[in-house]
Amino acid sequence: MYVEASKYVLLGDNAYAHAQTLLCGTLVLVAVFGRARGMSLFVFHPIFMNFMVMFMTEGLIVYRNTFAYNALHSIMQFDAKTKYRNLHTGMQVVATAFGALGALFIAANKIQNGKSIMPMSIHSILGTLALVGIITQVLVGFRKRHMIRLNEEMGVAVGPTYRWHGKLGLVTYDLCALSMLTGMLSYLPYTLPNLLVMVSRIICHGVEPEPKP
């Protein structure tokens, strides 16, 4: 029942997926600020990483949940396929920018406190793997778009379209989710509200759509 309900929420033509993503992201921010009780270099790390996962979620479901497309297609140029690709690319580029900012702030915080920037904990190892996956996805994604456009212009397949890009995207998304969860487990105290925040984040990642071919 949960899986079927989650598929409707995440993949149906509705606004619930976007509301769920926004709610989860807001809860994480509230929990982080409640724990930090102030601003520091470290606090910007979970903030930006939270925004990264939010935009990554939006970019991941854009092909299957058409709410964002229906809301924005009238102000976009080109045909429907290109609009979907532009929405997906735009969301993932913004997510990558937030991820880069989050990585820079945690590195700056470690340097400021005289700590090594090499990943040592489970959270940092998962986060590093996720960042490697994101960088790979960005490079391959732009290459994929170029090859698809070239194949369409030529009318024949003149090069690969990197169909594994979607599968790797799901793996990278899982790594980001696990990194975020382990980060919350290590940073937030074990109170009922914080545990509810963690559960909400798990639910938000409960169902992943099949990648667009």
Side-chain angles (χ1 to χ4, degrees):
M1 181 180 296
Y2 163 72
V3 172
E4 292 303 318
S6 296
K7 284 183 179 179
Y8 170 75
V9 169
L10 288 174
L11 309 182
D13 185 13
N14 55 66
Y16 298 125
H18 312 285
Q20 181 176 331
T21 300
L22 180 61
L23 175 61
C24 291
T26 302
L27 289 174
V28 171
L29 290 177
V30 170
V32 169
F33 282 121
R35 172 71 171 83
R37 299 186 183 280
M39 298 301 294
S40 65
L41 285 175
F42 175 82
V43 172
F44 286 102
H45 172 67
I47 291 174
F48 285 130
M49 289 307 187
N50 181 48
F51 285 133
M52 178 194 75
V53 173
M54 290 174 66
F55 277 94
M56 188 177 292
T57 302
E58 291 294 325
L60 184 68
I61 66 175
V62 71
Y63 285 114
R64 305 303 182 186
N65 183 314
T66 58
F67 180 84
Y69 172 81
N70 291 336
L72 299 173
H73 76 93
S74 62
I75 60 174
M76 300 175 68
Q77 295 181 341
F78 307 112
D79 58 273
K81 284 185 178 181
T82 304
K83 289 177 181 178
Y84 273 114
R85 290 172 190 157
N86 288 343
L87 280 172
H88 172 75
T89 302
M91 294 291 185
Q92 301 298 13
V93 167
V94 173
T96 301
F98 278 124
L101 287 172
L104 287 174
F105 272 102
I106 194 60
N109 178 74
K110 289 187 174 183
I111 293 172
Q112 184 183 62
N113 290 281
K115 297 180 179 179
S116 172
I117 62 173
M118 296 299 294
M120 305 295 288
S121 64
I122 294 176
H123 167 65
S124 60
I125 292 173
L126 288 172
T128 301
L129 292 174
L131 288 175
V132 170
I134 290 171
I135 293 171
T136 303
Q137 282 294 91
V138 169
L139 296 176
V140 174
F142 279 108
R143 178 64 178 172
K144 177 184 176 74
R145 287 197 55 149
H146 173 73
M147 294 308 301
I148 289 176
R149 183 170 63 250
L150 187 61
N151 290 347
E152 291 175 348
E153 291 175 355
M154 298 297 292
V156 294
V158 296
T161 55
Y162 306 96
R163 296 177 68 89
W164 49 267
H165 173 70
K167 292 292 186 182
L168 181 58
L170 294 183
V171 173
T172 302
Y173 185 70
D174 285 339
L175 287 171
C176 290
L178 289 173
S179 177
M180 190 169 188
L181 182 60
T182 54
M184 288 191 292
L185 287 171
S186 64
Y187 179 65
L188 298 178
Y190 295 118
T191 62
L192 179 59
N194 287 338
L195 289 175
L196 291 176
V197 171
M198 297 176 197
V199 170
S200 72
R201 177 53 68 186
I202 294 173
I203 292 175
C204 191
H205 293 84
V207 173
E208 296 171 337
E210 285 297 311
K212 185 73 174 178

